[in-house]
Structure formats: structure tokens, C-alpha cells
Amino acid sequence: MLALLIVAILVGGSLQRVAGMGFGLVAGPFIVLLIGPIEGVLFVNLVGAMMALLVLGRTIRRVDWRRYGWLVSASITVSVPAALLLKDASAPALEISVGGIVVICMTLALVTSRLRGAERPFRSEARLPLLVTGAAAGFGSVAAGIGGPPIAVYSVLDRWDPRAFAATAQPIFLTNALAAMTAKLLVADATFPDLAVWEWVAVFVALVASIGLGELLVGRISASATRKVLVALAYVGGFATLARGLLGLA
């Protein structure tokens, strides 16, 4: 199990360094399948926070703090209510709902983007889209350990520069993960997986190694290719979460 966890962390972490997101979307579903729905999501939140902190150290100069402030204020606001609301909810039902919403929203974002060409559907300084996106990301972090897809949808509609998005996403993921962990530990009685000390050390080493792998790739991928990776990751996360929920019901 530890070997599979490390592989998932290496792949997800390197993608997060390149595209700004990917750990929760790619590694998250596999980690939850390995560890379980409750401990697994909490583990994804914890390791995702550490991953975002490591990537932030490399990208902090590109962070758009105005967008960060509006997105995070909304996501934190919904974290505790979401944890209370979802405390007794069925995990498969939550995953089906979150996965389905992610796939639908990304498809709508792409269709809208194609129809409008280079035109934004809203002004770049508009606050309402940021607040809605932040609330959706906070709910997704609590419900299924994924907060990236709503932000990816916003980035597609806003024509957000991929490099600036990748940088700004890190403090957002860090804050969302910490808020989701706190809410679940205090409200939902969640617990971390019972790993030995050396296994936690191996997880941390894998995190650092994934950043190094991402550094080798980030300079070789264009902005347009990065945007395509971002869209693909949102779909992977949505379909994986949806499939996990359907398997849980079956």
C-alpha cells in the first residue's frame, strides 16, 4: 500500500508543480481507494496542504493575492457548515454529486469559452464569480478532498494566465485543505490513517521528490499545453470521483 501511495504522490505532485493542480485530482481518488473514504480524504487534505506549501515556495512571486483573498474568504465560510451538513451523508452520494457537478461545470466552461472566443463572460475584477468559485472549492475540499476543479473552471472562463493561476492556486489549496481538516477533525470526528513514523517520513520524501520532478518538466511545457493539462486534470478528477461514488453504491 505504501508503494502505491508513493507512486500516486509522485505523479500528482509533479503535475501540481507544472499545472498548479493535480495532487488532489490524480492522487486523491487512488489514495481514498487505498485507505478508505474518511481517513483517505483527511490524508489527502493533509498531504495536499504540504504539497501546496512546497510548491508555493517556488511560485510565490506570481501569486495574485486579490483573487486569493476573495476565493479563500468564500471557501472558509462554507467549510464548517459543509462539514456539519455532510456529517451523516453517504460518502458515495457525495462523491457522485461532486464528480458529476465538476464534469458538467467544466464542459459548460469549455463550451462558453469556445462560443465567446477571446471575450470573457465577466469582467476580470468581478467579485461574484470569485465568491461562487471559492464556495464551490471549499465544499469540494470538505466533501471529497478536491477543491481544484471549480477554480479550473473559473480560470478557463476568465482566460487566467496559466503560470499566474498555478502560483495563486497554491495558497488557495493550502488554506482550503487546512480549513477542511480543521472542520472535519472538530465536527465530523475524522481521524488520520495509522501509519508508522518511517511511513510518514517516506510520504514526505515522496512529496519533495515530486516537486523536483515537476521542476524538470515545468520549463519545457508551453502555456497552451499547460492549459490543456489543467482541463484534462479537472475532467480526470471529476470522472474519478464520480466512478468512485458509483462503485461505492454498487
Side-chain angles (χ1 to χ4, degrees):
M1 185 185 74
L2 181 63
L4 292 174
L5 280 178
I6 288 174
V7 171
I9 289 170
L10 286 172
V11 174
S14 59
L15 285 172
Q16 181 142 333
R17 176 62 187 95
V18 172
M21 56 186 276
F23 178 77
L25 297 174
V26 176
F30 297 106
I31 290 174
V32 171
L33 286 174
L34 290 170
I35 298 178
I38 305 301
E39 293 181 342
V41 171
L42 198 60
F43 181 85
V44 171
N45 288 146
L46 173 62
V47 180
M50 297 167 66
M51 176 67 66
L53 183 61
L54 290 171
V55 177
L56 179 61
R58 303 290 298 171
T59 61
I60 192 168
R61 292 182 180 180
R62 291 179 175 267
V63 174
D64 184 335
W65 293 108
R66 183 191 70 85
R67 280 193 174 104
Y68 163 79
W70 286 108
L71 288 166
V72 164
S73 63
S75 66
I76 291 178
T77 300
V78 305
S79 291
V80 172
L84 286 170
L85 179 66
L86 304 176
K87 183 177 180 180
D88 299 319
S90 163
L94 286 176
E95 290 167 346
I96 291 172
S97 301
V98 171
I101 290 171
V102 166
V103 171
I104 291 170
C105 287
M106 178 52 79
T107 302
L108 289 175
L110 290 176
V111 171
T112 302
S113 177
R114 292 290 179 87
L115 290 176
R116 289 180 176 268
E119 180 187 353
R120 285 189 179 96
F122 47 79
R123 292 179 293 109
S124 61
E125 66 273 13
R127 297 175 181 177
L128 182 59
L130 287 168
L131 292 174
V132 172
T133 300
F139 183 87
S141 293
V142 173
I146 58 168
I151 304 174
V153 171
Y154 174 87
S155 74
V156 170
L157 291 175
D158 187 63
R159 310 297 194 276
W160 200 348
D161 175 69
R163 301 296 169 84
F165 166 81
T168 309
Q170 304 317 306
I172 295 171
F173 292 152
L174 174 60
T175 307
N176 281 356
L178 292 175
M181 276 194 299
T182 302
K184 283 184 282 191
L185 288 171
L186 294 178
V187 176
D189 299 323
T191 58
F192 291 106
D194 186 19
L195 299 179
V197 173
W198 71 269
E199 290 175 314
W200 283 110
V201 171
V203 166
F204 181 76
V205 170
L207 282 173
V208 176
S210 71
I211 300 300
L213 181 59
E215 288 288 340
L216 295 175
L217 299 173
V218 71
R220 303 179 181 181
I221 300 179
S222 66
S224 61
T226 301
R227 187 179 296 277
K228 292 176 182 177
V229 171
L230 182 65
V231 172
L233 287 176
Y235 272 117
V236 167
F239 279 117
T241 305
L242 179 62
R244 191 172 69 201
L246 293 173
L247 287 173
L249 284 182

